[in-house]
Amino acid sequence: REMLAALNWRMHPPTALQFVLNLLEMLPSSTLEPSVKDAIIEHVRPQVEVAVADYSHVTQNHSTVAVASLLNTLELVDERDFSISARCSFVSDLIK
């Protein structure tokens, strides 16, 4: 509380993209190759940018935008790069 008071409560919440990056960190490193993870981030980024720039999405939490963008992108990933069972496990962890 003292630190926040010292900062005059000028704190910024995490962005939708930061939520995506944090969610991807939940995956075990053995689940995704770094190149696949980078490709996911590059596909998520424009979706997040469009969503946060669209006034109709202003009321959505950044975490909601992040999960929606991430789920959209995961549909594009080849099963050989991210297995169906690993996806199901990941999505299950997201909704807990």
Side-chain angles (χ1 to χ4, degrees):
R1 213 175 214 323
E2 289 179 35
M3 184 169 298
L4 290 174
L7 294 171
N8 293 322
W9 292 83
R10 285 180 266 165
M11 301 293 295
H12 297 283
T15 64
L17 187 58
Q18 188 60 53
F19 271 109
V20 170
L21 297 174
N22 290 340
L23 291 171
L24 288 174
E25 289 301 317
M26 291 172 43
L27 288 169
S29 59
S30 62
T31 305
L32 280 179
E33 292 292 323
S35 61
V36 176
K37 192 173 185 180
D38 291 343
I40 289 172
I41 293 167
E42 290 310 308
H43 280 88
V44 165
R45 188 183 312 271
Q47 292 182 57
V48 166
E49 290 171 355
V50 167
V52 297
D54 185 341
Y55 185 74
S56 65
H57 298 295
V58 167
T59 59
Q60 298 300 316
N61 291 329
H62 288 176
S63 58
T64 302
V65 171
V67 169
S69 299
L70 186 55
L71 291 176
N72 285 339
T73 299
L74 290 180
E75 290 182 16
L76 304 173
V77 178
D78 193 296
E79 287 179 34
R80 293 172 293 200
D81 295 324
F82 191 33
S83 72
I84 296 296
S85 61
R87 289 177 209 218
C88 289
S89 176
F90 179 62
V91 171
S92 176
D93 289 345
L94 286 180
I95 61 175
K96 285 184 182 176

